[in-house]
Amino acid sequence: MASDADTAGAWVTVDASTRRRILAHTPEMMVVEVEFQPGGVGAEHAHPHLQSSYVKSGSFTYTIAGVARTISEGEGVVVPSNACHSAETATGGSLIDVFTPAREDFLPA
């Protein structure tokens, strides 16, 4: 089944140091690229989606359910559904996040 997005979507500004774009999605899964400037922070939050994050570039400290882990280019983590988590980067970098099901709140209105 083809995705709903044949090409990458437009960049969306999350905050002053972070932006994201949907690379592909179906109702069951979504692939998102997230770019962080040095010092960027993904504030602590939780959502019902299972999430996998792959570090495309840079280095990130992920805190998942109170446990911190630093991951670098080529490494990844899995965030369980409803787990409180955050990410921060001193270096800046890019993540590829995969969500299941798709993050409907990321879709354009």
Side-chain angles (χ1 to χ4, degrees), residues 74-101:
E75 298 180 314
V77 297
V78 172
V79 180
S81 299
N82 298 309
C84 287
H85 60 286
S86 62
E88 59 184 279
T89 176
T91 62
S94 182
L95 299 172
I96 302 297
D97 287 340
V98 178
F99 299 95
T100 184

Side-chain angles (χ1 to χ4, degrees), residues 1-4 25-30 49 99-104 107:
M1 177 178 188
S3 73
D4 291 336
H25 69 92
T26 67
E28 297 83 17
M29 183 176 288
M30 177 178 279
H49 313 82
F99 299 95
T100 184
R103 292 283 305 257
E104 291 186 19
L107 294 173

Side-chain angles (χ1 to χ4, degrees), residues 3-18:
S3 73
D4 291 336
D6 291 330
T7 59
W11 285 103
V12 173
T13 300
V14 176
D15 60 33
S17 64
T18 311

Side-chain angles (χ1 to χ4, degrees), residues 25-72:
H25 69 92
T26 67
E28 297 83 17
M29 183 176 288
M30 177 178 279
V31 182
V32 178
E33 182 175 11
V34 187
E35 284 186 351
F36 291 82
Q37 296 301 313
V41 175
E44 186 176 61
H45 64 286
H47 45 72
H49 313 82
L50 180 64
Q51 175 181 339
S52 172
S53 293
Y54 169 81
V55 181
K56 180 178 173 184
S57 65
S59 178
F60 292 80
T61 299
Y62 264 79
T63 302
I64 303 169
V67 178
R69 175 179 170 202
T70 300
I71 58 174
S72 299

